[in-house]
Amino acid sequence: MTTPAARPVWTRYVAIGDSFTEGMSDPDPERDDAYVGWADRLALRLDAVAEAEHLPFGYANLAVRGRTLSDVVGPQLDAALTMSPDLVSMVGGGNDLLRPSVDLDGLAARLEEAVVRLRASGADVLLATPTDTRDAGLFRALRGRHAVHTANIFTIAQRHDCHVLNLWGMTALRDWRMWAEDRIHLTTEGHQRVAMAALAALGHDTDVARWSTPLPPADRTTRADALRGHAEWVRTHAAPWVERRVRGTSSGDRRDAKRPTLEHLRDPHDEPEHQQLPEL
């Protein structure tokens, strides 16, 4: 077990990425049309660790839904570096992988260039793999792409001493009950589990069974119910997504980052051992 004195401590955490890091579909109970997500939940824990060491903590989340890797490693990365972070989570490329064609080698090269910039600035880096779509119905066709991108991420991390959030290895995420109705974004429980996995990837002790153990088996779905569910998903989620691609628009158009500047998520006057933090 990691002792308090040996725990890694960061004081300036910036998250960059797309809808996964923005937090869809983990609704924020205090704000309309806003989301919490794994990165905010992780930041709360890192804030508590810093507070226990009597250090100030700031957190920014620059992720915006619909963004491709070029935006994540471009404007978002540039903005993140101006904040002099000591930890950056950089999760991008998911929207690129969904497109009809993608240059996986080019994707990896751009990601590695961004990692080099971050490491040269002195920041630690948390990367994340894609999930394993083995049991994901229509998305199973993406499994080969996800596997190659996962291998590239681990290679980059090894070269540059990065932390890796291994979503590919989280078998619990293969369960559809961890995913929202759009089948692309995690539910609140999914984000909670990912936040715990991220904390573990950063070297902190966690209850591994709590975030890695799959849910109990679900009741079997009849073929008729499954077909109705697929039809509803196509009508409600897939068709609008295709229409946006045809028009060259994005769900994140005209949206700004939800946390564009470094800020405290907790009241710095509260003692961390007495403050009730929300579930990861």
Side-chain angles (χ1 to χ4, degrees):
M1 178 177 292
T2 304
T3 63
R7 292 184 302 181
V9 181
W10 291 278
T11 61
R12 301 171 72 85
Y13 168 36
V14 180
I16 60 178
D18 51 30
S19 57
F20 173 66
T21 301
E22 183 185 346
M24 296 175 71
S25 294
D26 179 14
D28 188 332
E30 298 181 356
R31 297 184 296 169
D32 293 335
D33 194 27
Y35 300 93
V36 182
W38 70 270
D40 285 21
R41 296 175 184 278
L42 172 63
L44 280 167
R45 260 45 191 198
L46 298 180
D47 192 349
V49 171
E51 185 68 18
E53 299 297 324
H54 308 290
L55 295 171
F57 182 87
Y59 165 62
N61 188 321
L62 309 183
V64 178
R65 67 195 71 172
R67 296 295 193 258
T68 59
L69 186 64
S70 61
D71 184 80
V72 176
V73 302
Q76 288 187 28
L77 177 60
D78 292 341
L81 286 170
T82 66
M83 302 179 196
S84 301
D86 55 10
L87 174 66
V88 175
S89 61
M90 179 168 56
V91 188
N95 289 308
D96 302 81
L97 293 173
L98 283 171
R99 299 195 169 194
S101 62
V102 59
D103 178 1
L104 292 171
D105 292 333
L107 210 64
R110 292 196 299 276
L111 185 63
E112 185 163 17
E113 289 171 0
V115 167
V116 169
R117 288 184 64 191
L118 285 168
R119 297 297 284 140
S121 76
D124 288 319
V125 178
L126 174 65
L127 302 174
T129 74
T131 56
D132 184 354
T133 59
R134 187 190 71 180
D135 304 319
L138 293 174
F139 292 107
R140 183 174 182 174
L142 298 173
R143 195 182 192 209
R145 293 183 179 186
H146 279 208
V148 172
H149 195 53
T150 293
N152 287 338
I153 285 172
F154 272 107
T155 300
I156 293 167
Q158 185 179 51
R159 285 175 181 160
H160 304 286
D161 195 22
C162 302
H163 303 273
V164 179
L165 169 56
N166 184 10
L167 301 177
W168 179 275
M170 287 186 66
T171 56
L173 295 185
R174 295 178 189 169
D175 191 321
W176 277 120
R177 291 171 292 175
M178 291 290 181
W179 299 86
E181 290 182 358
D182 63 8
R183 305 185 182 183
I184 295 176
H185 301 109
L186 292 167
T187 61
T188 293
E189 179 166 355
H191 279 284
Q192 289 171 347
R193 289 184 180 230
V194 167
M196 294 174 72
L199 192 63
L202 290 172
H204 287 268
D205 289 325
T206 64
D207 182 349
V208 176
R210 183 179 172 193
W211 57 263
S212 65
T213 303
L215 294 172
D219 294 335
R220 293 179 63 88
T221 302
T222 67
R223 180 172 176 79
D225 287 341
L227 290 174
R228 280 193 292 270
H230 290 322
E232 177 63 23
W233 173 75
V234 169
R235 181 171 59 254
T236 306
H237 300 288
W241 183 87
V242 171
E243 184 177 357
R244 287 196 298 271
R245 296 287 82 75
V246 171
R247 292 181 177 180
T249 60
S250 166
S251 58
D253 288 347
R254 296 179 296 279
R255 283 189 174 272
D256 298 320
K258 66 176 183 178
R259 299 186 187 277
T261 59
L262 290 169
E263 61 184 67
H264 281 285
L265 295 183
R266 301 184 310 109
D267 184 342
H269 299 293
D270 286 346
E271 291 296 329
E273 61 268 25
H274 296 139
Q275 187 181 41
Q276 183 65 40
L277 296 180
E279 289 290 328
L280 277 171

